[in-house]
Amino acid sequence: MTDSLIVGVTGGIGSGKTTVCKIFHQLGVPIYFADDRGKYLLSNDELLKSQVMDLFGAESYLPDGLLNRSFLANRVFSNTEELSKLNGLVHPAVAKDFLQWANNQNAKVLIKEAALLIENGSYTALNKLISVLAPEDVRINRVLMRDIQRDKAQVLDIMSNQVDDKGRREVSDYLIDNGGSKLLIPQVLKIHKELQLIKS
């Protein structure tokens, strides 16, 4: 296993996790985007694909072999039991992929960005946790502007399956306020400096 400091960046949908990670990336920190890798693995990892089809049926994939996102979304986002089953398949595959990625990096600090680090308990395997916070109404508006295929009900469904900001505050080492009232870059620079000092 790598001797880098492994830092998680998490936050609810629309909080600005990706924006925060882009700033860290500009500062030279390698970023593992767990949610993006999960989507990639769902369409490219043959073992994971067969597990998903066993659980949700052949309709889970389109004829070209790509994930049938709308079918799965309709099955899982309003059904916590089904969502838990899907996450139970995806999260171990992502964890394995992350370890392979981390072992190939050469940096003092590595970041793992994921929406559900707290919900699935994987934050406990990290050295530090950063939560990105923003008011719910701000987050909803961001998502509706960014993801035109989603409606407000879908966004609220996703939010209902995520830890609230109170829960994030309780387990996080660092908090970033991305609600619009504070400048984002100075907050990231301050945390980056502290993380570098930990590994110096």
Side-chain angles (χ1 to χ4, degrees):
M1 180 61 184
T2 179
D3 64 351
S4 303
L5 188 74
I6 308 293
V7 179
V9 172
T10 193
I13 186 170
S15 62
K17 299 179 296 296
T18 303
T19 302
V20 165
C21 285
K22 286 178 180 175
I23 299 169
F24 274 111
H25 182 71
Q26 290 298 314
L27 296 168
V29 179
I31 313 290
Y32 179 89
F33 290 98
D35 297 338
D36 290 343
R37 285 300 292 174
K39 290 172 189 170
Y40 172 83
L41 293 169
L42 276 165
S43 288
N44 293 280
D45 182 301
E46 293 305 320
L47 174 61
L48 181 57
K49 286 173 72 171
S50 71
Q51 291 172 328
V52 170
M53 283 190 278
D54 287 346
L55 197 57
F56 296 103
E59 279 183 273
S60 303
Y61 288 87
L62 300 169
D64 61 4
L66 293 177
L67 186 68
N68 187 343
R69 294 190 190 288
S70 60
F71 170 79
L72 263 187
N74 287 334
R75 285 281 303 265
V76 304
F77 279 122
S78 56
N79 184 326
T80 53
E81 188 178 322
E82 296 275 79
L83 180 61
S84 180
K85 288 177 185 175
L86 179 62
N87 286 338
L89 298 176
V90 176
H91 291 154
V94 170
K96 180 181 173 187
D97 187 66
F98 171 73
L99 286 177
Q100 291 172 342
W101 174 85
N103 285 327
N104 288 315
Q105 303 303 312
N106 184 20
K108 286 182 180 181
V109 177
L110 303 177
I111 285 181
K112 180 179 186 179
E113 186 256 29
L116 301 178
L117 287 175
I118 297 171
E119 292 81 350
N120 66 27
S122 62
Y123 76 96
T124 59
L126 306 172
N127 301 117
K128 296 289 178 185
L129 181 65
I130 301 167
S131 280
V132 184
L133 309 177
E136 188 174 288
D137 60 325
V138 171
R139 293 167 48 209
I140 291 168
N141 287 334
R142 284 177 184 161
V143 176
L144 293 177
M145 289 177 64
R146 176 188 76 196
D147 303 339
I148 56 171
Q149 78 281 7
R150 292 192 203 269
D151 61 32
K152 187 174 180 178
Q154 289 174 315
V155 178
L156 289 170
D157 266 350
I158 293 168
M159 286 181 166
S160 72
N161 290 306
Q162 296 181 331
V163 170
D164 63 14
D165 284 353
K166 181 179 182 289
R168 293 183 197 288
R169 285 186 182 93
E170 290 172 1
V171 297
S172 297
D173 300 290
Y174 303 98
L175 300 172
I176 293 178
D177 181 343
N178 192 27
S181 62
K182 292 185 178 178
L183 293 173
L184 191 57
I185 292 175
Q187 295 179 77
V188 175
L189 289 173
K190 182 176 185 288
I191 294 171
H192 178 259
K193 184 177 181 180
E194 290 182 25
L195 295 174
Q196 294 296 320
L197 288 172
I198 291 171
K199 282 307 287 183
S200 61

